[in-house]
Amino acid sequence: MSAVIEVSGLSKRFKNVTAVDDVDFSVEENTICGLLGRNGAGKTTLMQLLTGQDFATRGSIRVFGETPVENRNVLQRVCFIKESQKYPEEFTAKHVFRSAPWFFPNWDAEFAGRLIDDFRVPLTRRIKKLSRGQLSSIGVILGLASRAPLTFFDEPYLGLDAVARQIFYDRLLADYAAHPRTVILSTHLIDEVSNLLEHVFVIDEGRLIIDQDADSLRGSAVTVVGTRAAVDAFVARREVLHTDHLGGLASVTVDRLSQSERVEATEAGLELSPVSLQQLVVQKTNIPHQEFEQSA
Amino acid sequence: MDESRPIFVQIAEQIENDIIAGILPEEGQVPSTNEFAAFHRINPATAGKGVNLLVDDGVLYKKRGIGMFVAAGARDRLVAKRRDQFQSEYVRPLVTEAGKLGISETQLVEMIRQEGAE
């Protein structure tokens, strides 16, 4: 395994906002990674830094072992699908797909053609007349058919219907299996993509708060339900993510439980229920601003 | 897929179930990692981990360049392993729940007997 992206001590400050705050991580080659977090958490800024579209305030970035800024070696291997991609005024989808091979050496026109049919993209209508979903379809097709060794999808499917999103997931998996590459997927629809991911990054207020293998993350957090006294006794020495009380009952989410702790909980008459990746991210990032500052 | 456990473990269990049920016969070929991934809509690396778990256990074996096959004797060994797990995974929770509901040991045995008779 080798790292495609290596970042250390990376920060990006705009006037009085620290969008990316002293972040260290690396991305393994040929993995599908999720970059998750709330609006304004710093996801897009981070991707702009990684693709050389903005300058870091501090820290170092290595993409394919080199700095991405103004670097042809790096950038011709990178595809960045943005949420709000702008196209020239008179462009139709046809123009977009015709010009794609100029930027992406691995462009597969035949695959793009099949995707255009799948997503039912009108080729000859002007882009500014297209719906939000059709615009997103164009981005998704570009991202898939470019087969770039490193592909970023930043919230790629605004306005895409459920059918189109399912087509995207299926085509992504199939094409990734046939042509392994590194994919970084930033999205809010965590439940929909969680099974596609091999690694998960969660960013909150510019800081990287989760950097973990998806398999070990899945099922690590557990909600413990039972009488208040029993639950409180059980979770006393553990890191608690979330607490709910209902009369004499308590429902507490803890970060992780070992197999022996699970047995211990069951024997104490407590019920354990799984926490999905989406719930885990919600609970980890649902902290009011003030409180976050203090606890950090 | 059930959220509470790692997906690769569930993939391995499903393959085991299919071997126990005879859907995947011994010495027969099993679907490829990519086929499992596409079918279950999961990451191929995750599917691969599940398959490798069974390779490590000697349940599946690889034929280079051809694919993955069910080992001879795999079914008997899986059944034996599942019997060992039966106590902790089924009997223990059953007894715990029965205790909660005030079902006595004799009543519980009687209930099991009734189920068996049907």
Side-chain angles (χ1 to χ4, degrees):
Chain A
M1 287 275 227
S2 63
V4 171
I5 299 175
E6 287 173 290
V7 164
S8 72
L10 182 66
S11 294
K12 175 68 188 179
R13 195 164 299 128
F14 299 104
K15 283 181 190 148
N16 39 22
V17 182
T18 306
V20 174
D21 190 0
D22 194 20
V23 162
D24 298 271
F25 67 94
S26 61
V27 174
E28 291 296 325
E29 190 176 20
N30 298 342
T31 54
I32 302 180
C33 301
L35 178 59
L36 314 176
R38 299 182 63 178
N39 294 325
K43 303 184 298 286
T44 300
T45 305
L46 182 59
M47 286 187 275
Q48 278 170 338
L49 295 172
L50 295 175
T51 52
Q53 305 201 341
D54 207 340
F55 298 99
T57 308
R58 222 182 25 240
S60 90
I61 301 174
R62 286 283 172 278
V63 179
F64 298 109
E66 300 177 38
T67 172
V69 179
E70 304 278 337
N71 187 336
R72 195 184 138 88
N73 271 342
V74 173
L75 297 180
Q76 67 177 1
R77 290 191 265 174
V78 172
C79 175
F80 183 14
I81 301 303
K82 290 187 239 178
E83 180 183 336
S84 51
Q85 179 66 51
K86 297 281 183 291
Y87 299 94
E89 186 78 349
E90 298 297 316
F91 257 41
T92 63
K94 200 176 191 170
H95 295 123
V96 174
F97 296 128
R98 278 230 197 110
S99 52
W102 305 340
F103 304 100
F104 305 113
N106 296 342
W107 179 257
D108 184 334
E110 193 266 329
F111 182 38
R114 277 184 284 140
L115 292 168
I116 290 164
D117 293 341
D118 285 340
F119 286 100
R120 303 181 179 171
V121 175
L123 283 177
T124 50
R125 203 178 304 163
R126 276 210 268 155
I127 293 225
K128 59 180 182 183
K129 302 270 183 201
L130 296 182
S131 73
R132 179 65 246 188
Q134 289 169 325
L135 210 54
S136 293
S137 298
I138 294 178
V140 161
I141 295 169
L142 279 178
L144 290 173
S146 65
R147 290 211 180 113
L150 176 58
T151 307
F152 292 85
F153 286 103
D154 184 7
E155 206 56 63
Y157 28 55
L158 279 182
L160 277 192
D161 59 54
V163 177
R165 295 203 299 274
Q166 192 63 68
I167 294 173
F168 169 60
Y169 304 139
D170 289 352
R171 298 298 178 274
L172 172 65
L173 270 187
D175 203 59
Y176 165 78
H179 305 272
R181 54 202 194 255
T182 309
V183 176
I184 296 181
L185 190 56
S186 169
T187 177
H188 295 301
L189 300 177
I190 303 173
D191 274 343
E192 285 193 5
V193 301
S194 69
N195 290 355
L196 308 184
L197 305 176
E198 187 171 347
H199 198 94
V200 175
F201 296 100
V202 177
I203 186 167
D204 196 40
E205 308 221 316
R207 294 195 189 138
L208 194 60
I209 59 167
I210 295 179
D211 172 0
Q212 210 178 330
D213 184 279
D215 281 322
S216 65
L217 196 57
R218 201 172 281 124
S220 71
V222 177
T223 300
V224 183
V225 184
T227 60
R228 213 161 162 156
V231 172
D232 286 349
F234 183 74
V235 301
R237 295 171 316 278
R238 296 183 169 87
E239 193 192 337
V240 170
L241 295 176
H242 186 77
T243 307
D244 272 327
H245 286 123
L246 176 68
L249 290 178
S251 159
V252 175
T253 304
V254 292
D255 218 350
R256 55 177 60 249
L257 287 184
S258 68
Q259 196 52 43
S260 63
E261 289 174 317
R262 283 167 194 266
V263 173
E264 190 190 319
T266 315
E267 281 168 355
L270 300 172
E271 289 193 16
L272 300 178
S273 59
V275 176
S276 72
L277 182 59
Q278 176 151 317
Q279 286 173 302
L280 179 66
V281 172
V282 167
Q283 298 191 351
K284 283 245 183 191
T285 56
N286 180 18
I287 298 167
H289 196 72
Q290 292 279 297
E291 201 181 316
F292 186 90
E293 295 285 302
Q294 285 163 10
S295 69
Chain B
M1 293 280 140
D2 141 23
E3 282 284 347
S4 62
R5 293 167 316 131
I7 295 175
F8 70 95
V9 174
Q10 298 180 54
I11 292 289
E13 281 176 3
Q14 279 190 13
I15 299 172
E16 287 182 355
N17 286 340
D18 288 347
I19 294 172
I20 291 172
I23 297 166
L24 293 171
E26 289 179 7
E27 298 298 346
Q29 188 167 6
V30 301
S32 73
T33 299
N34 287 338
E35 284 167 334
F36 277 120
F39 182 78
H40 294 289
R41 298 198 160 112
I42 58 173
N43 189 291
T46 311
K49 260 195 207 174
V51 168
N52 283 333
L53 216 57
L54 297 180
V55 172
D56 292 344
D57 285 350
V59 172
L60 301 181
Y61 67 93
K62 281 179 194 168
K63 276 189 196 170
R64 210 159 265 289
I66 304 177
M68 206 72 76
F69 292 80
V70 180
R75 187 176 177 276
D76 284 349
R77 273 187 289 128
L78 287 175
V79 170
K81 184 182 96 175
R82 288 289 177 93
R83 283 193 180 152
D84 291 342
Q85 291 172 351
F86 186 75
Q87 174 93 20
S88 60
E89 286 180 15
Y90 293 91
V91 180
R92 200 169 300 152
L94 179 82
V95 172
T96 310
E97 180 70 10
K100 252 193 243 173
L101 301 176
I103 298 170
S104 75
E105 209 179 296
T106 343
Q107 284 170 316
L108 184 60
V109 170
E110 182 51 35
M111 284 166 132
I112 294 170
R113 201 168 279 145
Q114 273 176 19
E115 284 299 316
E118 274 168 20

